[in-house]
Amino acid sequence: MDKDNRPECVLTISNVVCTFSTGCPIDLRHLAMNGMNVIYKKEMGLVSMKLREPNVTATVWSTGLVACAGCFNEEEALAGAKKVARCLWRLGFQVKMCKFKITNVFGACSLPFRIDARAFSGAHPKNASYEPELSPGIDFRIDELKACLKIFTTGKLTITAPSVEKVQREVEIIHHVSLPFQQVERDERKLDDVFCQKGDG
């Protein structure tokens, strides 16, 4: 992101969510009674399981579907999912981990400039939606990447996509298309000088 000597955009991945199947039904009551760091949410039909290393929160359903969240990269998410599967296997479930998939990656970064939200959204009516009365940010979708962003006038972005690679690609695209809509920041000190001069007069 530092091409042409432009300031660099630092992307931070805050959460990677993955799912997998155990290939067998899970007795949630047995899991709740014998598992460690678990919470049985009977009314919701699931068990929440917390791991410390890697830092993963797993949601387990009786069908054998498991969702894991809390990791910062895809490798860590896979390692966390495998550890959850091993925990279930040790409790007597005939686990055969399958259908592993990264479902969502959440990231954030700040562009090195402010954005004119109205001009940007007006130039991209098919992808952008801006309703300042309801939300301060622009909702921007890139269908081919199955990704969506929230773009704020400050240049801050929050990004959701099905992989880290697509999050990175999405930031590159937005950085490029938003360049013509940079909003020039006013120099408050110069404005103060102008007002002072008018006051002196």
Side-chain angles (χ1 to χ4, degrees):
M1 299 297 291
D2 58 353
K3 293 180 181 179
D4 301 328
N5 296 319
R6 290 194 296 266
E8 185 179 2
C9 296
V10 179
L11 173 63
T12 302
I13 301 299
S14 59
N15 191 15
V16 177
V17 180
C18 66
T19 61
F20 71 91
S21 174
T22 62
C24 67
I26 301 295
D27 184 335
L28 297 182
R29 188 172 182 277
H30 176 78
L31 174 58
M33 294 292 291
N34 298 281
M36 295 182 64
N37 300 317
V38 297
I39 300 175
Y40 185 21
K41 300 180 180 180
K42 186 176 180 180
E43 67 284 358
M44 300 175 66
L46 60 85
V47 169
S48 178
M49 177 188 296
K50 179 74 174 178
L51 301 182
R52 293 182 180 177
E53 187 60 40
N55 185 19
V56 171
T57 299
T59 302
V60 184
W61 287 270
S62 60
T63 58
L65 177 65
V66 181
C68 300
C71 294
F72 299 111
N73 56 63
E74 295 175 349
E75 293 76 15
E76 193 176 65
L78 177 58
K82 288 181 177 179
K83 189 168 183 179
V84 170
R86 285 195 297 270
C87 289
L88 295 173
W89 182 79
R90 292 191 188 102
L91 291 173
F93 300 107
Q94 300 301 307
V95 175
K96 294 181 180 179
M97 183 177 168
C98 56
K99 298 180 181 178
F100 174 83
K101 182 181 180 182
I102 300 293
T103 56
N104 269 312
V105 177
F106 301 91
C109 78
S110 292
L111 298 176
F113 48 80
R114 295 178 64 85
I115 296 174
D116 185 332
R118 290 188 182 280
F120 179 91
S121 58
H124 301 280
K126 292 184 178 180
N127 302 89
S129 173
Y130 180 52
E131 298 182 34
E133 298 84 2
L134 302 177
S135 173
I138 305 166
D139 291 311
F140 191 89
R141 298 190 64 86
I142 303 176
D143 292 337
E144 58 268 29
L145 296 179
K146 297 181 180 179
C148 59
L149 298 89
K150 195 78 167 180
I151 308 170
F152 298 92
T153 56
T154 59
K156 291 186 177 180
L157 312 174
T158 58
I159 312 109
T160 305
S163 71
V164 172
E165 180 183 358
K166 289 184 177 181
V167 168
Q168 294 170 336
R169 177 60 181 149
E170 192 170 9
V171 172
E172 292 172 359
I173 291 172
I174 289 300
H175 185 274
H176 176 71
V177 301
S178 62
L179 281 173
F181 304 98
Q182 295 183 53
Q183 192 173 53
V184 178
E185 295 189 62
R186 296 179 300 176
D187 192 326
E188 299 297 338
R189 290 174 298 180
K190 290 183 179 179
L191 289 175
D192 289 342
D193 290 342
V194 171
F195 289 136
C196 288
Q197 289 173 5
K198 288 183 178 180
D200 292 340

